[in-house]
Structures are given as C-alpha cells and as structure tokens.
Amino acid sequence: MATVNIRVATAEDAALILRFIRELAIYEKAESSVQTDEAGIRASLFGADAKARALICEAGGEAIGYAVYFYNYSTWLGRNGIYLEDLYVSPQQRGSGAGKALLQHIARIAVAEGCGRFEWSVLDWNEPAIRFYEAAGAKPQSEWTVYRMEGDALQAFAEG
C-alpha cells in the first residue's frame, strides 16, 4: 500500500465525507438513518459555529477514509476529552494500517491538547472493529449504557 497521508478536511470535502458516511451507514445496516446532505455536512463541520472536526485519510493520492471527532468534557478529570464519532476506511483498504493511522492521529491530538480521554462507541456485533480497537489497547466500558433522545422524543421533551 502507498504511504498513508492524513489531512484536515475542508469544506470542499463535504461530498466526499457524505459518501463515506453513507458507506459507513450501509456497513452498519443503517443506511436509512442518514438524514443529512452535502449542505448539512458543510454547515456542521465547516461552518462558523462548527463543533466537530474531520480528517481525510489518503493513500496514493486517493481518499480512502475519514474520521470525525469532537471535544467532550470529564468533570471527574476536570479536562476535555475527544469523542470519535466516525472512523471509516474503504473496505478494500482495511487491514492496510489506514485505520490505525487515523486512530493514532487523533490520539496524538488528544495528547498534545492535554485531553484526559479518547472515547468512542462500537456496535456490539461489529467484531472486526472490536478486535481492532482492543488490539490498539482500548477497553470496553461495559458498566455504562448509552442513552439517546432524538427526533420527536427530543422535541416533545424540550417543549415540556
């Protein structure tokens, strides 16, 4: 495989990122859950008030993956952390070291910025991802259950 290059994504990458998001959603058996479009990606990742950041992974001049992350906060540590929302490498490039390079790149950002944690979620059936993350030294947090409020439930709760 060609040398992996990781770069900060730009607004011009919005269509590429959306393509990768759709590919990831297909892999995760949730294609119909993708509700954003190119304009939504451009606004949420590259707009003036963007809270998340994106990276593009390239090999041989071709984009082969991406990652999206944002900062969270630990009251117990009194420090920021990084939450990895997405890490995706094209199927034909998996096993090439690209995913590890993306993960290490973000880990280096976390260390350089004094973050206390680097966290993410993985689907419980995604054995290849679980093996990959555990091989990197990550440990599952089985004592925590993720809760989510979205769509109509979020709207109804907010309204009171």
Side-chain angles (χ1 to χ4, degrees), residues 40-54 68-71:
I41 296 300
R42 186 172 277 110
S44 63
L45 289 177
F46 308 108
D49 61 346
K51 305 290 190 263
R53 303 200 175 138
V68 171
Y69 66 96
F70 57 89
Y71 293 87

Side-chain angles (χ1 to χ4, degrees), residues 132-160:
F132 168 73
Y133 293 133
E134 288 181 351
K139 305 283 184 233
Q141 300 297 297
S142 58
E143 68 272 14
W144 293 90
T145 299
V146 175
Y147 281 81
R148 176 179 296 161
M149 193 180 297
E150 63 184 353
D152 292 340
L154 174 60
Q155 186 69 36
F157 187 73
E159 291 172 356

Side-chain angles (χ1 to χ4, degrees), residues 57-123:
C57 182
E58 299 171 325
E62 174 188 355
I64 62 168
Y66 82 111
V68 171
Y69 66 96
F70 57 89
Y71 293 87
N72 56 14
Y73 182 77
S74 168
T75 55
W76 291 2
L77 296 178
R79 295 164 65 187
N80 284 331
I82 288 182
Y83 188 87
L84 177 64
E85 180 64 25
D86 286 351
L87 186 142
Y88 176 78
V89 174
S90 298
Q92 64 275 21
Q93 299 293 334
R94 292 183 190 149
S96 68
K100 182 178 179 182
L102 273 166
L103 198 64
Q104 282 182 315
H105 187 92
I106 299 169
R108 288 183 190 114
I109 293 169
V111 169
E113 296 187 9
C115 294
R117 294 182 176 152
F118 180 21
E119 302 174 303
W120 57 90
S121 298
V122 61
L123 291 165

